[in-house]
Amino acid sequence: MRPTLSWTPTEEPSPGTTDLAPVAEALGRGGVLVLSGAGISTESGIPDYRGEGGSLSRHTPMTYQDFTADAAARRRYWARSHLGWRTFGRALPNAGHRAVAAFGRHGLLSGVITQNVDGLHQAAGSEGVVDLHGRLDRVVCLSCGDFSDRRELALRLEEANKGFAPVAAGINPDGDADLTDAQVGDFQVVPCTVCGGVLKPDVVFFGEAVPPQRAEQCRALVREASALLVLGSSLTVMSGLRFVRQADQAGQPVLIVNRDPTRGDRHALARVALPLGDALSAVAGRLGVPVE
């Protein structure tokens, strides 16, 4: 079964609101759990999947099933990801990430769960972030389970593929660059240095399950939160939507900041349809929270 990559609203989507008061009020009470998606990183130069110009309009993400079953698929993935890492690895936190970190420093948050694999919340200063879908800057061997640093792998791939410098059509939220098969060419994949096994980025691919312990950690965070604040996620995939449903069923307020309609709108008190950086900076100003 192919993973869910899109959804179609069954009713007329709400245009959303521009009123930030509910978000400010929830944060002012404290204990808010943030759930962030690709939309919070677009202002850092990393495109989202489904917004205007989103990468799904031109790109089908790698699935776990294809990666593990097909050596040619792994070659294509690592060629594209190696090129994308050169840009992705240099991305810097934006105003949205910095505002979330500021809310955390001032004791307004109970935690942060991110669906992103870019590490930008941590780079902005947020602590205790749960990387729901893993981190692109770490690599795992599928045979022996050894973990290694992505920067080390990048050096090995550079050595094995000297002169590899095609021009990509775009970079995607998972760090994968858009390349044709001709551009991929005979790109050489390198094995695990410990056992010679297959290397995979330590991220949850489409079609792959979130590790059970990590999922339970997130469910516990939802149970303990006073409210759930969703930032920049379409909530198309169940890995994020399940927490919105959990909060709603428990009677906890759900607030969404996302310019486009989401799959979770029916569970939310409000969806604020504003750019995230501006919206969160404005909320921080209302609450008297300085953003570094």
Side-chain angles (χ1 to χ4, degrees):
M1 180 180 295
R2 304 296 291 181
T4 299
L5 299 180
S6 62
W7 66 281
T8 301
T10 57
E11 54 192 41
E12 186 68 23
S14 166
T17 180
T18 58
D19 183 11
L20 289 167
V23 176
E25 291 168 4
L27 284 166
R29 289 190 293 269
V32 173
L33 174 63
V34 165
L35 171 63
S36 72
I40 198 170
S41 293
T42 56
E43 293 173 37
S44 294
I46 299 174
D48 63 12
Y49 284 110
R50 300 171 182 86
E52 184 178 353
S55 67
L56 286 183
S57 63
R58 64 177 192 279
H59 165 75
T60 300
M62 175 61 65
T63 67
Y64 181 77
Q65 292 76 13
D66 289 342
F67 186 88
T68 54
D70 187 352
R74 289 194 292 275
R75 183 189 310 110
R76 288 193 299 272
Y77 173 80
W78 278 119
R80 299 192 308 244
S81 186
H82 177 56
L83 185 64
W85 174 253
R86 297 172 181 173
T87 299
F88 194 92
R90 294 194 297 266
L92 298 174
N94 62 54
H97 298 110
R98 293 193 295 271
V100 170
F103 297 146
R105 283 194 300 272
H106 283 74
L108 305 182
L109 303 182
S110 63
V112 177
I113 302 169
T114 184
Q115 297 174 280
N116 299 338
V117 297
D118 52 37
L120 292 179
H121 278 297
Q122 293 91 329
S126 289
E127 298 181 354
V129 178
V130 179
D131 295 297
L132 184 64
H133 295 153
R135 287 278 295 267
L136 199 65
D137 59 4
R138 194 164 74 158
V139 180
V140 62
C141 174
L142 294 181
S143 297
C144 71
D146 181 68
F147 288 99
S148 55
D149 190 283
R150 179 61 183 265
R151 290 176 287 271
E152 296 175 2
L153 176 63
L155 293 175
R156 295 178 62 206
L157 289 172
E158 291 282 359
E159 181 64 24
N161 298 278
K162 292 180 179 178
F164 180 75
V167 177
I171 305 296
N172 303 305
D174 53 5
D176 196 1
D178 291 328
L179 295 178
T180 65
D181 287 345
Q183 288 176 304
V184 170
D186 59 353
F187 186 87
Q188 298 299 304
V189 177
V190 297
C192 172
T193 57
V194 176
C195 74
V198 171
L199 294 176
K200 172 184 173 292
D202 188 25
V203 300
V204 177
F205 280 161
F206 281 88
E208 183 180 7
V210 173
Q213 184 176 4
R214 191 182 304 163
E216 176 52 36
Q217 180 184 7
C218 293
R219 286 192 289 268
L221 286 172
V222 175
R223 287 193 294 269
E224 297 163 2
S226 64
L228 180 63
L229 176 60
V230 180
L231 303 176
S233 176
S234 68
L235 300 170
T236 295
V237 296
M238 188 55 66
S239 63
L241 180 63
R242 69 181 63 179
F243 304 127
V244 170
R245 289 178 173 175
Q246 177 188 344
D248 184 31
Q249 290 170 0
Q252 296 159 300
V254 176
L255 295 159
I256 299 173
V257 184
N258 199 69
R259 284 187 292 184
D260 298 319
T262 82
R263 195 178 175 190
D265 284 1
R266 61 191 294 262
H267 302 287
L269 290 179
R271 177 176 59 85
V272 179
L274 290 173
L276 269 165
D278 291 344
L280 296 181
S281 296
V283 171
R286 290 191 188 191
L287 297 174
V289 174
V291 179
E292 294 181 359

